[in-house]
Amino acid sequence: MIFPDEAAYRAYLQDVKTFLWREIDPLVPQIEAQGRIPFEELRPKFRQHGLFACLVPEAYGGLGLSATQYAPVLKELAKVHGGIRAMLHVHNSSVHLIETGRPEQRQQYLPRMAQGDLLVCFALTEPDSGSGLDSKATAVRQGDVYLLNGRKHLITNAREAELFAVFCFTQNPDGSERAFSVLLVERGMPGFTIEPMAPTMGCVGASHEFLRFEQVPVPRTHVLGEEGRGSEQMLAFLEISRVFIAVAALGTAERALELALEWAKRRVTFGKPIASRQAVQGYLAEMATDIYALRHMVLDALRKYDAGQRIPEESSMCKLFALEAVGRVTDKALLVHGGLGYLKSSRIEMLYRDARLNWLEEGTPTIHKLIIARTLLQEEFAAFGRGEELL
Ligand SMILES: Cc1cc2nc3c(=O)[nH]c(=O)nc-3n(C[C@H](O)[C@H](O)[C@H](O)COP(=O)(O)OP(=O)(O)OC[C@H]3O[C@@H](n4cnc5c(N)ncnc54)[C@H](O)[C@@H]3O)c2cc1C
């Protein structure tokens, strides 16, 4: 870790918070109104505050934060603006994907990622199939290149990104030896086009675009790591990235509670602040309870991950609980705000919409329930099911 001690890390965190609230928060109404994050204007500022470098190891010029140290940075981003959070989340989580590459690939990409000279995105989702092994994108070997064909959609950062980690099946010309792999596709490669998609409900301003690959000649050296490791690479990076989504949900939920508390104390009906009404107190108490539970779930998962443990079940549990908790918390925060909360001018209205992306990012609830249940039904997970691991 680049910070010599806890105090230096704390000072960094404070610097990030000050920057976000002083310089980004005032831009939020403009981003929401225009539906666009002014990325090129913000790039030097994000760079200055290390926001592209958080998870890049020190050896590659990054800050080398642990997952537990990165979490408060991400949480603060979610409190301020969901679109900027989504953008930086995808870039920073992609570090874990690029780290699965060969040493020369890590050397080629990670320092530029840390500097923010290379914005990265990952492309799994397709319009004509489910994610992962259901992919229809194919890359057929031909001499020193793969000819990549396929379509991806809803790909965050695609408008601005310089590097696209594309999940697809590499194969021989006769279709034999199909292997799920990741190809590193650069902006501007012939046959690669990026098309805009409709604006999103929340997390406004980040780009989520449609990618079209038509006979794109991708050099064989651009296979991330080795051919056939796509599933393993996908699971390895999603495992921690899904906990980061839960951290983002926690940030949104904490901010919603802060705003609800402020409003409940200010809004007076029948001569008393609504905060004095037992029914409103009930909402606030339920919100705080969800936040407490979520905070401790993610802390447990982050600490286990930093200690080198695999956390596939914890990761899905955090993501599943987080999306349900942030849904409940933002519902109640909206109720506490009454009619004014429904107006576009209200921050609670934005947080309510931002929270709904957490339901979709990196797997829907049904997918996480499937992962958790599958593991529960395995013998070796029985102890976790009985709670013996934690208490
Ligand atoms: C704003 C935004 C940004 C995104 N960014 C990215 C990105 O950067 N990169 C990327 O690769 N993707 C990205 N996505 C895609 C996102 O990960 C998917 O939308 C999400 O995983 C759901 O997949 P889908 O849209 O194909 O839905 P579908 O797979 O069509 O699912 C529709 C419904 O059916 C259920 N379902 C589908 N299959 C099954 C099954 N086998 N068993 C049980 N239930 C099932 C789902 O749970 C869901 O409720 C983004 C999406 C959004 C909205």
Side-chain angles (χ1 to χ4, degrees):
M1 217 260 285
I2 204 159
F3 303 110
D5 52 31
E6 181 66 13
Y9 162 70
R10 294 263 154 213
Y12 166 70
L13 205 53
Q14 191 50 54
D15 168 71
V16 169
K17 289 184 183 180
T18 307
F19 161 66
L20 292 177
W21 290 104
R22 277 215 192 124
E23 297 190 46
I24 300 299
D25 187 57
L27 297 179
V28 168
Q30 174 200 318
I31 295 172
E32 290 290 309
Q34 296 178 352
R36 207 174 173 100
I37 295 167
F39 178 65
E40 285 313 327
E41 277 172 46
L42 293 177
R43 197 196 285 248
K45 295 186 180 190
F46 291 166
R47 186 182 284 140
Q48 188 190 336
H49 296 281
L51 292 172
F52 297 114
C54 295
L55 294 174
V56 177
E58 259 186 280
Y60 298 98
L63 300 183
L65 298 185
S66 67
T68 311
Q69 289 170 324
Y70 168 59
V73 175
L74 187 67
K75 195 176 80 167
E76 208 67 16
L77 282 162
K79 285 185 176 192
V80 176
H81 190 250
I84 292 178
R85 187 284 302 168
M87 176 175 237
L88 290 170
H89 160 76
V90 166
H91 176 83
N92 289 330
S93 278
S94 297
V95 168
H96 289 300
L97 183 58
I98 300 298
E99 275 188 309
T100 66
R102 299 189 299 279
E104 70 274 15
Q105 291 176 321
R106 294 200 288 271
Q107 196 56 57
Q108 183 179 356
Y109 297 117
L110 291 174
R112 289 163 65 207
M113 285 180 79
Q115 276 303 305
D117 294 337
L118 190 81
L119 191 76
V120 178
C121 63
F122 63 87
L124 269 162
T125 310
E126 300 186 6
D128 310 313
S129 67
S131 294
L133 294 177
D134 194 29
S135 172
K136 302 280 185 288
T138 54
V140 178
R141 247 190 315 269
Q142 204 167 84
D144 286 342
V145 298
Y146 290 95
L147 291 178
L148 174 63
N149 284 284
R151 293 153 17 117
K152 301 278 179 183
H153 71 172
L154 296 164
I155 306 307
T156 303
N157 288 350
R159 187 170 60 212
E160 302 85 1
E162 284 92 9
L163 189 71
F164 300 73
V166 179
F167 288 79
C168 62
F169 279 94
T170 47
Q171 61 185 53
N172 286 332
D174 62 2
S176 64
E177 289 189 34
R178 290 181 92 236
F180 193 52
S181 310
V182 183
L183 290 189
L184 297 174
V185 177
E186 290 169 7
R187 177 179 286 275
M189 281 184 170
F192 172 31
T193 48
I194 303 163
E195 296 157 26
M197 292 187 80
T200 51
M201 175 196 291
C203 295
V204 165
S207 62
H208 311 285
E209 316 290 54
F210 191 99
L211 313 183
R212 194 183 297 278
F213 305 97
E214 287 171 335
Q215 298 284 86
V216 180
V218 183
R220 286 184 71 172
T221 51
H222 282 221
V223 173
L224 182 67
E226 292 150 32
E227 255 188 282
R229 286 191 53 216
S231 286
E232 193 191 314
Q233 290 166 313
M234 176 177 77
L235 295 176
F237 107 94
L238 286 180
E239 194 168 303
I240 185 62
S241 194
R242 286 167 167 167
V243 182
F244 292 148
I245 303 278
V247 168
L250 177 62
T252 307
E254 284 184 4
R255 183 74 185 128
L257 176 58
E258 285 164 17
L259 292 174
L261 282 168
E262 277 169 27
W263 184 250
K265 288 182 208 160
R266 272 173 45 209
R267 170 72 174 145
V268 174
T269 64
F270 298 94
K272 283 185 181 173
I274 58 169
S276 67
R277 310 289 175 187
Q278 205 170 6
V280 174
Q281 289 173 1
Y283 288 148
L284 299 171
E286 285 166 1
M287 290 161 78
T289 306
D290 261 335
I291 288 170
Y292 178 70
L294 177 56
R295 189 181 294 140
H296 286 271
M297 278 181 88
V298 297
L299 264 177
D300 176 66
L302 291 165
R303 285 176 182 155
K304 282 182 179 165
Y305 180 83
D306 284 338
Q309 281 186 46
R310 292 291 317 274
I311 51 159
E313 298 80 26
E314 289 88 340
S315 160
S316 278
M317 287 177 180
C318 283
K319 169 84 204 291
L320 179 63
F321 183 76
L323 64 91
E324 290 176 347
V326 77
R328 286 191 292 268
V329 170
T330 49
D331 276 354
K332 285 168 193 155
L334 188 62
L335 287 172
V336 170
H337 278 74
L340 289 183
Y342 195 64
L343 302 188
K344 283 274 181 197
S345 51
S346 138
R347 278 296 166 93
I348 213 67
E349 184 270 348
M350 180 188 84
L351 294 168
Y352 182 92
R353 288 182 286 104
D354 286 352
R356 271 62 198 168
L357 178 57
N358 297 147
W359 300 359
L360 297 162
E361 286 170 285
E362 298 170 28
T364 53
T366 58
I367 299 304
H368 292 292
K369 286 178 190 169
L370 195 113
I371 295 170
I372 298 162
R374 199 169 45 202
T375 325
L376 267 179
L377 294 167
Q378 288 167 5
E379 197 49 37
E380 64 267 33
F381 200 61
F384 200 123
R386 292 193 298 272
E388 288 169 3
E389 185 173 334
L390 297 175
L391 293 172

